[in-house]
Amino acid sequence: MLTTHPFDTPDEFGDKLREECGVFGVSGAEGAAALVALGLHALQHRGQEAAGITSWDGHNFHTHRAMGHVAGNFDRDEVIRALAGTVACGHVRYSTTGETALRNVQPLYAELANGGFAIAHNGNISNAMHLRRELIRRGSIFQSTSDTETIIHLVATSGYRDLLDRFIDALKQVEGAYSLICMTPEGMIACRDPLGIRPLVMGKLEDSYIFASETVALDVVGASYVRDVEPGELVIVKDGELRSIRPFTAIAPRPCIFEWVYFSRPDSIAQDRSVYTVRKGIGAELAIESPVEADLVIPVPDSGVPAAIGYAQQSGIPFELGIIRSHYVGRTFIQPSAEVRRLGVKLKHNANRALIQGKRIILVDDSIVRGTTSLKIVEMMREAGAAEVHMRIASPPTTHSCFYGVDTPERSKLLAAKHNVAQMAEFIKADSLAFVSIDGLYRALGEAKRGEVLPRYCDACFTGDYPTDLTDHDEQASSQLALLDHPA
């Protein structure tokens, strides 16, 4: 039987953290679905497994969901024409909860007592399984394995009469991260969890309101950025009128710090900061904290480019494109031999040999997860004749799993959870390895250092400081311990 290999995943080497989803919504625009399709194109990096759009024409909801990219599924006139209406929302997906299947592709839709209800979700509900078991016990019948469907059932079974009250009641029962765009006959609702872990921005296009995971999606449709949807805020749009409510107790926000490191596109603005500028700043901090004598600074494309520029500018070492990436290669098919798999890697990345030969180089990348990417890149540089290969990482060591909508391996598979930096350098076969410090990362974001009492961001993947309860994880751990104590 053929088995999968780390190289046979959608990213280059099966060794990248992946954001779970991206959402985009339009209220009050003719041809809303066409705008949503454009917005989803700009958010494709946030989810390449599946895409969906739901529209509302004032009488009926219309939905088209499909596996694969936005292109090919939503670039046909007949598909967009079938999504009639001036209100629409869409979703691009990676799966971190729920199987890879059409039934889990969002927006999810249900007929409730108050009418149709469609929901698109970016994030992860960390007590979804706990809630799901209770809902099933009470008679709920689930149609998907997605944590998002839990919210629909909580709305459906709420004791409140008004739909908005039912929705708020549902949200008060969930923990974790959520940025949601919901469509109902009573209007579009956009909201973020009280900690604001996952991003959501609001824009304006003439008389219509736009909501998106990133500002770059507003740019693509020609909308102007208005502001972020605030943590714990619900924004309701109906008939061109906008109102905002904050039904949750105010707490200090903890937005995901990895949005600036890797997830967001560099041409986006996050919390009034240029993502590109922040990433250059991280590279500069790296150069200050971990200098090394070398001839060239080389980014691991494409996510390492801004940090490498910052490192080069701060250190005075020339920046060069020593690795050339092909943008025309999709998923690497499963290969029967290790040698052929190794050659297949070069379909996506190839060393700029004439530049590298005999040089001492500094490779800059955004993160190390399992370590397989870094190992193969270092090997590639040595095969191209590099005299020395030093690795610099534009984030602290990833030591903990994420439970808020990021596809992170279990902790035992994270290289930094098991090894110190010297051991990691030996594993990837680099002459030296260094990560930006957690304080350096905060300095690049304009903070003096990480606050020991109230950090400004969710940085749990680096620190283990989770800002919410992790009910499902804790219950699973307790169950496993019980099995170990009382084996069958």
mmCIF file of all heavy atoms in Angstrom, residues 129-144:
data_model
loop_
_atom_site.group_PDB
_atom_site.id
_atom_site.type_symbol
_atom_site.label_atom_id
_atom_site.label_comp_id
_atom_site.label_asym_id
_atom_site.label_seq_id
_atom_site.Cartn_x
_atom_site.Cartn_y
_atom_site.Cartn_z
ATOM 1 N N MET A 129 -16.948 19.744 20.858
ATOM 2 C CA MET A 129 -17.318 18.345 21.073
ATOM 3 C C MET A 129 -18.116 18.186 22.365
ATOM 4 O O MET A 129 -19.073 17.394 22.420
ATOM 5 C CB MET A 129 -16.063 17.471 21.108
ATOM 6 C CG MET A 129 -15.339 17.372 19.775
ATOM 7 S SD MET A 129 -16.422 16.848 18.419
ATOM 8 C CE MET A 129 -16.948 15.231 19.009
ATOM 9 N N HIS A 130 -17.750 18.917 23.385
ATOM 10 C CA HIS A 130 -18.500 18.889 24.647
ATOM 11 C C HIS A 130 -19.944 19.339 24.403
ATOM 12 O O HIS A 130 -20.892 18.667 24.842
ATOM 13 C CB HIS A 130 -17.810 19.796 25.665
ATOM 14 C CG HIS A 130 -18.535 19.915 26.962
ATOM 15 N ND1 HIS A 130 -18.364 19.028 27.998
ATOM 16 C CD2 HIS A 130 -19.460 20.834 27.391
ATOM 17 C CE1 HIS A 130 -19.151 19.382 29.015
ATOM 18 N NE2 HIS A 130 -19.808 20.476 28.671
ATOM 19 N N LEU A 131 -20.105 20.439 23.692
ATOM 20 C CA LEU A 131 -21.442 20.947 23.388
ATOM 21 C C LEU A 131 -22.193 19.996 22.462
ATOM 22 O O LEU A 131 -23.401 19.774 22.628
ATOM 23 C CB LEU A 131 -21.345 22.328 22.740
ATOM 24 C CG LEU A 131 -20.823 23.466 23.621
ATOM 25 C CD1 LEU A 131 -20.513 24.690 22.775
ATOM 26 C CD2 LEU A 131 -21.834 23.811 24.712
ATOM 27 N N ARG A 132 -21.498 19.441 21.488
ATOM 28 C CA ARG A 132 -22.128 18.547 20.521
ATOM 29 C C ARG A 132 -22.733 17.322 21.220
ATOM 30 O O ARG A 132 -23.869 16.912 20.908
ATOM 31 C CB ARG A 132 -21.086 18.126 19.485
ATOM 32 C CG ARG A 132 -21.615 17.264 18.349
ATOM 33 C CD ARG A 132 -20.449 16.798 17.491
ATOM 34 N NE ARG A 132 -20.881 16.018 16.356
ATOM 35 C CZ ARG A 132 -20.951 16.468 15.100
ATOM 36 N NH1 ARG A 132 -20.584 17.703 14.827
ATOM 37 N NH2 ARG A 132 -21.341 15.683 14.119
ATOM 38 N N ARG A 133 -21.975 16.736 22.138
ATOM 39 C CA ARG A 133 -22.500 15.565 22.854
ATOM 40 C C ARG A 133 -23.777 15.894 23.606
ATOM 41 O O ARG A 133 -24.745 15.109 23.609
ATOM 42 C CB ARG A 133 -21.436 15.027 23.812
ATOM 43 C CG ARG A 133 -20.305 14.273 23.128
ATOM 44 C CD ARG A 133 -19.452 13.535 24.134
ATOM 45 N NE ARG A 133 -18.704 14.452 24.973
ATOM 46 C CZ ARG A 133 -17.474 14.884 24.704
ATOM 47 N NH1 ARG A 133 -16.864 14.502 23.584
ATOM 48 N NH2 ARG A 133 -16.851 15.706 25.527
ATOM 49 N N GLU A 134 -23.816 17.081 24.237
ATOM 50 C CA GLU A 134 -25.012 17.487 24.972
ATOM 51 C C GLU A 134 -26.174 17.759 24.025
ATOM 52 O O GLU A 134 -27.318 17.380 24.304
ATOM 53 C CB GLU A 134 -24.693 18.724 25.810
ATOM 54 C CG GLU A 134 -25.880 19.303 26.567
ATOM 55 C CD GLU A 134 -26.494 18.321 27.562
ATOM 56 O OE1 GLU A 134 -25.799 17.387 28.000
ATOM 57 O OE2 GLU A 134 -27.678 18.516 27.906
ATOM 58 N N LEU A 135 -25.904 18.397 22.892
ATOM 59 C CA LEU A 135 -26.964 18.683 21.915
ATOM 60 C C LEU A 135 -27.541 17.395 21.333
ATOM 61 O O LEU A 135 -28.760 17.273 21.158
ATOM 62 C CB LEU A 135 -26.405 19.572 20.803
ATOM 63 C CG LEU A 135 -26.162 21.039 21.179
ATOM 64 C CD1 LEU A 135 -25.216 21.707 20.185
ATOM 65 C CD2 LEU A 135 -27.499 21.804 21.231
ATOM 66 N N ILE A 136 -26.684 16.430 21.028
ATOM 67 C CA ILE A 136 -27.166 15.148 20.511
ATOM 68 C C ILE A 136 -28.009 14.434 21.562
ATOM 69 O O ILE A 136 -29.049 13.835 21.249
ATOM 70 C CB ILE A 136 -25.973 14.280 20.057
ATOM 71 C CG1 ILE A 136 -25.334 14.888 18.800
ATOM 72 C CG2 ILE A 136 -26.413 12.843 19.783
ATOM 73 C CD1 ILE A 136 -24.046 14.209 18.374
ATOM 74 N N ARG A 137 -27.572 14.509 22.799
ATOM 75 C CA ARG A 137 -28.348 13.895 23.883
ATOM 76 C C ARG A 137 -29.744 14.498 23.971
ATOM 77 O O ARG A 137 -30.722 13.797 24.277
ATOM 78 C CB ARG A 137 -27.610 14.072 25.217
ATOM 79 C CG ARG A 137 -28.208 13.276 26.386
ATOM 80 C CD ARG A 137 -27.573 13.665 27.701
ATOM 81 N NE ARG A 137 -27.865 15.049 28.055
ATOM 82 C CZ ARG A 137 -29.014 15.457 28.576
ATOM 83 N NH1 ARG A 137 -29.998 14.591 28.809
ATOM 84 N NH2 ARG A 137 -29.197 16.728 28.884
ATOM 85 N N ARG A 138 -29.839 15.797 23.640
ATOM 86 C CA ARG A 138 -31.133 16.483 23.697
ATOM 87 C C ARG A 138 -31.933 16.334 22.408
ATOM 88 O O ARG A 138 -33.037 16.875 22.295
ATOM 89 C CB ARG A 138 -30.896 17.962 23.994
ATOM 90 C CG ARG A 138 -30.482 18.222 25.440
ATOM 91 C CD ARG A 138 -29.762 19.547 25.618
ATOM 92 N NE ARG A 138 -30.385 20.659 24.932
ATOM 93 C CZ ARG A 138 -29.827 21.860 24.774
ATOM 94 N NH1 ARG A 138 -28.604 22.073 25.256
ATOM 95 N NH2 ARG A 138 -30.453 22.816 24.141
ATOM 96 N N GLY A 139 -31.378 15.637 21.419
ATOM 97 C CA GLY A 139 -32.158 15.358 20.212
ATOM 98 C C GLY A 139 -31.685 16.024 18.941
ATOM 99 O O GLY A 139 -32.274 15.808 17.875
ATOM 100 N N SER A 140 -30.630 16.826 18.976
ATOM 101 C CA SER A 140 -30.122 17.456 17.760
ATOM 102 C C SER A 140 -29.547 16.399 16.817
ATOM 103 O O SER A 140 -28.944 15.418 17.254
ATOM 104 C CB SER A 140 -29.033 18.486 18.088
ATOM 105 O OG SER A 140 -29.579 19.605 18.743
ATOM 106 N N ILE A 141 -29.748 16.615 15.523
ATOM 107 C CA ILE A 141 -29.228 15.718 14.500
ATOM 108 C C ILE A 141 -28.242 16.507 13.648
ATOM 109 O O ILE A 141 -28.621 17.442 12.944
ATOM 110 C CB ILE A 141 -30.368 15.157 13.616
ATOM 111 C CG1 ILE A 141 -31.370 14.385 14.483
ATOM 112 C CG2 ILE A 141 -29.800 14.259 12.520
ATOM 113 C CD1 ILE A 141 -32.613 13.951 13.739
ATOM 114 N N PHE A 142 -26.971 16.151 13.724
ATOM 115 C CA PHE A 142 -25.923 16.879 13.011
ATOM 116 C C PHE A 142 -25.750 16.331 11.602
ATOM 117 O O PHE A 142 -25.834 15.124 11.371
ATOM 118 C CB PHE A 142 -24.594 16.785 13.775
ATOM 119 C CG PHE A 142 -24.494 17.720 14.946
ATOM 120 C CD1 PHE A 142 -25.201 17.470 16.122
ATOM 121 C CD2 PHE A 142 -23.698 18.858 14.873
ATOM 122 C CE1 PHE A 142 -25.111 18.333 17.202
ATOM 123 C CE2 PHE A 142 -23.603 19.723 15.947
ATOM 124 C CZ PHE A 142 -24.311 19.471 17.120
ATOM 125 N N GLN A 143 -25.497 17.242 10.661
ATOM 126 C CA GLN A 143 -25.299 16.875 9.262
ATOM 127 C C GLN A 143 -23.840 16.964 8.838
ATOM 128 O O GLN A 143 -23.504 16.575 7.723
ATOM 129 C CB GLN A 143 -26.142 17.798 8.366
ATOM 130 C CG GLN A 143 -27.631 17.725 8.631
ATOM 131 C CD GLN A 143 -28.185 16.341 8.368
ATOM 132 O OE1 GLN A 143 -27.909 15.753 7.321
ATOM 133 N NE2 GLN A 143 -28.962 15.818 9.293
ATOM 134 N N SER A 144 -22.984 17.507 9.684
ATOM 135 C CA SER A 144 -21.568 17.651 9.352
ATOM 136 C C SER A 144 -20.736 17.265 10.566
ATOM 137 O O SER A 144 -21.271 16.996 11.646
ATOM 138 C CB SER A 144 -21.248 19.100 8.947
ATOM 139 O OG SER A 144 -21.172 19.934 10.094
#
